[in-house]
Structures are given as C-alpha cells and as structure tokens.
Amino acid sequence: MKLIILGAPGSGKGTMATVLRDSYGITHISTGDIFRANIKEETPLGKEAKKYIDAGQLVPDEITISMVEDRLKQDDCKVGYLLDGFPRTIAQAEKLDEMLKANNTAIDAVIRVDVPNEVIMGRVVNRRVCTSCGESYNVVTRPTKVEGVCDVCGKEVVQRDDDKPETVEQRLITYEKNTKPLIDFYEKKGILIAADNSKDPKAAFEQASAALSKLGFQKIQ
Ligand code: ADP
Ligand code: ZN
C-alpha cells in the first residue's frame, strides 16, 4: 500500500502518520524529518534546506524531489509506504506520478487531515518534538512525563525553530498557496480520503482506516 498524508502544518498529520505506519506495517517517510536530520548533521543538503525552512518557505522542488526519489529506492519501501510532507506542490505531485508510473505502480490513497484554521496556530506553538526519535508532544494536551525529556527514547524534547509564531504564519500562507491545490489534484483522481482531526485523533484514524478497509487494505495490528 502506498499512501500520502496531506494536511496543514499543525493538522496532526505527523502523529497520525506514526499510527498508520504501525497499524499497516508500512514505512513512514517524512520529508520534514529527513530535512531536520540533515540540518542536525550539518550536511550540505541540511545547510541549504535550513534557509528555506526557517523562513517558512518550501525547499526548492529539485532538491526535494531528488531526495525523495533516492529515498523511495531503499529496501524498506518494498513493504509499502506513507509519504508525509511530500508532495507539497503540484510539480512534486506530477513528478511522483511519473516516478511511480515508470515502475508500473501508483498511489493507492491520499488521506486529507482536516482541522479548522483557528485550531492550528495553538497546536503548533505548543508543539514540542523529540530531537532523536521525532515523537511529537504538546505542552497543553500531551506533555512529556518529565519536562524536556522524550517518553519514548529519553532524549531531548524541544520546540522546532519553525514552530515560532512568526514562522507558523508564513508556513500557513505557503500551505494555502502551494499545497492546498493538491487536494483538488487527488480528488479528481478519486483517491482522496477525509479524516476529521479537529477533535479526537483516534476518531480521525478510525475514519481513515474504515475508508482504507473499503479499498481492501486491512490493519496488521
Ligand atoms: P509541517 O507540515 O508541520 O509544516 P514538516 O515537518 O512536514 O512540517 O516540514 C517542515 C518544513 O520542511 C516545511 O515548512 C518546508 O520548509 C520543508 N519541507 C518539508 N517537506 C517539503 C516538501 N515536500 N517540499 C518543500 N519543502 C518541504
Ligand atoms: Zn524520542
């Protein structure tokens, strides 16, 4: 199964992605996580990407597309995968189609994570993430047991540089302009699944998994 998860910054798509990964046994590919890992390691890719990410802008398509192309060639993608944060532009989506077509395959479904705009800002500025395993927390709704320490792996939990209010605003503008058109793009292909994540993340997941089940995809756990 090949999935895309689509949603605004702060829609909770990252959290939902990890649940989907575990429930369906597929590989989670987050372009944001790959960029952050490169920034941490201070690789050339990381240094280049950081300029855009800290400004709430998109990393240029050429860089992002070739990074994803390489990632999809890795062995762990054979079991199926979930793309989180990619595609983010129509050009990326078209390129992805092309890549998959060349291998006689296609995306099975696109999960659209819906959250009203008012809710988003509060979620993002309260978000904290683990610098090591990527687990996501919220200082109000889901704090770590020990402040600043990841419940899962024990490493440091911090606020992302791009989760500061000024940058979040720009990220939302970028999302509206570049990424929202993808909803139409996939709706036209008839592969869009909606998941209302304005309240209970469990309910959002159940909504998505019911739709996936109708398509013939069953949970492994
Ligand atoms: P969020 O969805 O919460 O904004 P992500 O972790 O998915 O966060 O992405 C963080 C940042 O990484 C984005 O704001 C953008 O600058 C960059 N980025 C991630 N994926 C892409 C992509 N597919 N194309 C261009 N830039 C990307
Ligand atoms: Zn962790």
Side-chain angles (χ1 to χ4, degrees):
M1 174 168 69
K2 298 181 182 66
L3 297 179
I4 292 170
I5 188 159
L6 200 62
S11 59
K13 71 180 158 61
T15 307
M16 190 154 165
T18 56
V19 182
L20 285 160
R21 173 198 65 197
D22 296 341
S23 303
Y24 292 94
I26 53 179
T27 299
H28 174 207
I29 301 172
S30 157
T31 44
D33 284 351
I34 302 175
F35 285 134
R36 282 185 288 278
N38 276 277
I39 291 171
K40 206 173 154 197
E41 301 293 324
E42 297 178 357
T43 67
L45 171 70
K47 282 182 191 154
E48 182 64 18
K50 189 174 165 51
K51 296 190 256 174
Y52 300 96
I53 293 175
D54 285 352
Q57 309 284 354
L58 294 181
V59 179
D61 282 341
E62 317 83 78
I63 300 178
T64 309
I65 290 168
S66 73
M67 181 179 89
V68 172
E69 205 162 11
D70 286 346
R71 182 65 187 86
L72 293 180
K73 286 181 191 143
Q74 290 177 24
D75 264 356
D76 61 353
C77 292
K78 293 203 177 103
V79 295
Y81 51 78
L82 167 65
L83 290 169
D84 164 7
F86 184 92
R88 242 181 170 93
T89 62
I90 294 283
Q92 291 179 11
E94 283 171 345
K95 186 64 204 190
L96 176 65
D97 269 2
E98 239 173 72
M99 275 190 261
L100 294 177
K101 221 179 211 163
N103 291 309
N104 287 314
T105 177
I107 294 293
D108 296 297
V110 178
I111 300 171
R112 186 191 70 202
V113 186
D114 295 326
V115 174
N117 268 338
E118 315 83 79
V119 181
I120 283 177
M121 192 58 129
R123 279 197 188 168
V124 180
V125 295
N126 291 327
R127 170 161 67 185
R128 299 294 181 270
V129 289
C130 176
T131 52
S132 181
C133 74
E135 187 72 16
S136 185
Y137 299 91
N138 182 297
V139 290
V140 180
T141 57
R142 190 177 176 249
T144 50
K145 291 197 182 88
V146 179
E147 203 189 317
V149 180
C150 179
D151 292 353
V152 178
C153 76
K155 297 279 163 50
E156 194 189 6
V157 169
V158 299
Q159 181 173 47
R160 270 165 49 176
D161 283 339
D162 63 344
D163 279 350
K164 312 264 149 69
E166 324 77 83
T167 316
V168 175
E169 216 159 293
Q170 181 54 51
R171 279 162 62 204
L172 288 171
I173 294 169
T174 304
Y175 175 79
E176 290 286 327
K177 180 165 168 260
N178 297 290
T179 308
K180 226 171 180 186
L182 291 180
I183 292 174
D184 224 37
F185 181 89
Y186 289 116
E187 184 131 62
K188 284 195 182 119
K189 288 181 187 286
I191 57 170
L192 199 69
I193 290 175
D196 173 6
N197 201 24
S198 57
K199 292 181 197 81
D200 179 17
K202 264 210 186 88
F205 171 74
E206 289 309 329
Q207 198 185 342
S209 74
L212 289 173
S213 156
K214 278 192 192 144
L215 295 173
F217 300 109
Q218 308 305 335
K219 286 180 261 191
I220 58 158
Q221 57 164 299

